């Protein structure tokens, strides 16, 4: 029986066999991408089901607009997070791709391999996410009714449009990122890959630098324009400012992170000499990998702070205090997107730090103590999440200051420090949990990895 299965497997296409072996050898990376796409599909299709259920009912007109905005935010966050996660996964696959090219794999075969892996993963995650979107939408409908945000029940009915949207969004984002990864895989030179396995070079290609700079300048221009707009126009413009600045800073992120680490590195080394030096060296050697931890934190802080504190700013300006159902407006707008980004923080920290396993084992062999390695991992995560919190807070502060200037003529806005501290603590805790869990075997297990190399 087994011999027959072996013969059938031997007759399978080469690309299929390679794809299956890649999944088995890099389960963490593929699982992280699967979770990212799955969560994105659940949010997009679930929120779309809520919008489709609330739109036809006149008594839910006040709720529909908030649900549409929440669905839009979920879609934006999904594209941002899924693209970043697949970019991190592609970086982990560079060595494998270089070795395949060195043994004679042609460029068309390499493209088919990368696209086959991405498409299979996206379709599987989209199918499961569409199934889970129905109970998610029903749970959200019950929540909206229980807190009094929706005056009546939101009847969730199955509709093909939300599921079609989810099936288009997931594979489209995945394939878009995979096409870029396939182009990079085709251009790889084996010796170049082996040399850059642990030290990244060319972190900001010229097209990315130009795009990021243009979007960042556009966001700054919109912030200035927002401060001069009437209040009714300034509120949506402030949200647009945050989105543009997130995209611009995200494009330039590895370069920005390198600058921040170079400035803060001496302080960290003075605080904790050896672990601090190890953390700074790891961040500077692979800023692209480290940016995968920074990006979701930045997105969480920027979006959540902008939406939460813009409502607080408007209430203070009007002298209004929200109670009952009105108090749930801002949490409903950003709640699901914030949960998604927090999951992405844990996901990205686990995947990014898993690549540090070989380095941690080598440090143990030359005499580093487990406690020193724990502190080095923690410092690396704290610097990354701190950079994300700093950038996200700066983006939100700029947008909120422009909104406050439109309202009062001064660059002012209201802040809830308990909410801010809760967001920051959640991001830091998620990053530490993911990083420490991913590096546990390397810090405490055998000095030689039990699994075969990728």
């Amino acid at each position: 029986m087994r011999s027959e299965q072996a013969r059938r497997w031997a007759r399978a296409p080469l690309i299929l066999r390679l794809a299956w072996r890649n999944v088995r050898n890099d389960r963490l990376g593929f699982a992280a991408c699967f979770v990212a796409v799955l969560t994105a599909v659940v949010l997009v299709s679930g929120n779309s089901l809520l919008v489709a259920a609330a739109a036809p009912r006149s008594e839910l007109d006040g709720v529909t607009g908030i649900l549409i905005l929440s669905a839009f935010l979920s879609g934006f966050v999904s594209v941002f997070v899924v693209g970043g996660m697949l970019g991190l996964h592609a970086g982990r696959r560079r060595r494998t791709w270089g070795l395949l090219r060195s043994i004679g794999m042609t460029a068309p075969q390499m493209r088919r391999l990368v696209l086959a892996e991405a498409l299979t993963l996206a379709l599987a995650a989209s199918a499961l996410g569409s199934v889970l979107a129905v109970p998610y939408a029903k749970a959200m409908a019950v929540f909206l009714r229980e807190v009094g945000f929706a005056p009546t029940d939101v009847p969730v009915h199955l509709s093909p449009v939300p599921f079609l949207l989810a099936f288009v969004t997931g594979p489209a984002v995945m394939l878009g990122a995979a096409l870029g990864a396939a182009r990079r895989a085709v251009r790889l030179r084996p010796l170049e890959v082996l040399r850059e396995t642990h030290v990244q070079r060319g972190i900001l290609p010229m097209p990315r630098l130009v795009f990021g700079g243009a979007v960042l300048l556009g966001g700054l221009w919109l912030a200035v324009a927002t401060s001069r707009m009437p209040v009714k126009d300034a509120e949506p413009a402030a949200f647009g400012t945050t989105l543009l600045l997130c995209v611009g800073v995200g494009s330039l992120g590895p370069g920005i992170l390198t600058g921040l680490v170079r400035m803060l590195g001496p302080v960290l080394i003075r605080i904790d000499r050896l672990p601090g030096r190890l953390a700074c060296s790891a961040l500077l050697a692979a800023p692209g990998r480290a940016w995968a931890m920074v990006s979701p934190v930045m997105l969480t802080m920027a979006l959540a702070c902008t939406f939460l504190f813009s409502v607080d700013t408007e209430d203070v300006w009007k002298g209004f205090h929200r109670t009952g159902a009105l108090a749930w407006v801002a949490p409903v707008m950003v709640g699901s997107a914030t949960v998604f980004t927090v999951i992405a923080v844990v996901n990205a920290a686990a995947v990014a730090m898993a690549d540090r396993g070989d380095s941690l084992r080598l440090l143990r062999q030359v005499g580093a103590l487990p406690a020193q390695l724990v502190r080095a991992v923690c410092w690396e995560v704290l610097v990354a999440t701190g950079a994300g919190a700093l950038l996200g807070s700066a983006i939100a502060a700029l947008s909120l200051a422009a909104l406050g200037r439109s309202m009062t003529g001064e660059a002012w806005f209201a802040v809830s420090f308990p909410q801010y501290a809760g967001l920051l603590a959640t991001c830091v805790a998620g990053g530490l949990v993911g990083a420490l869990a991913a590096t546990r075997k390397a810090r405490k297990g055998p000095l030689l990895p039990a699994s075969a190399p990728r």
Side-chain angles (χ1 to χ4, degrees), residues 1-11:
M1 185 66 178
R2 290 184 178 178
S3 60
E4 179 64 23
Q5 291 179 348
R7 285 195 295 269
R8 290 180 180 178
W9 180 247
R11 291 195 297 267

Side-chain angles (χ1 to χ4, degrees), residues 41 44-53 126 130-131 133-134 156-169:
V41 171
V44 171
S45 55
N47 288 330
S48 300
L49 284 172
L50 288 173
V51 172
S126 298
S130 298
V131 174
V134 177
V156 177
H157 301 294
L158 296 182
S159 174
V161 175
F163 297 108
L164 289 175
L165 180 63
F167 260 95
V168 169
T169 302

Side-chain angles (χ1 to χ4, degrees), residues 120-139:
T120 303
L121 192 68
L123 290 177
S126 298
L128 181 57
S130 298
V131 174
L132 297 178
V134 177
Y136 165 79
K138 291 183 178 180

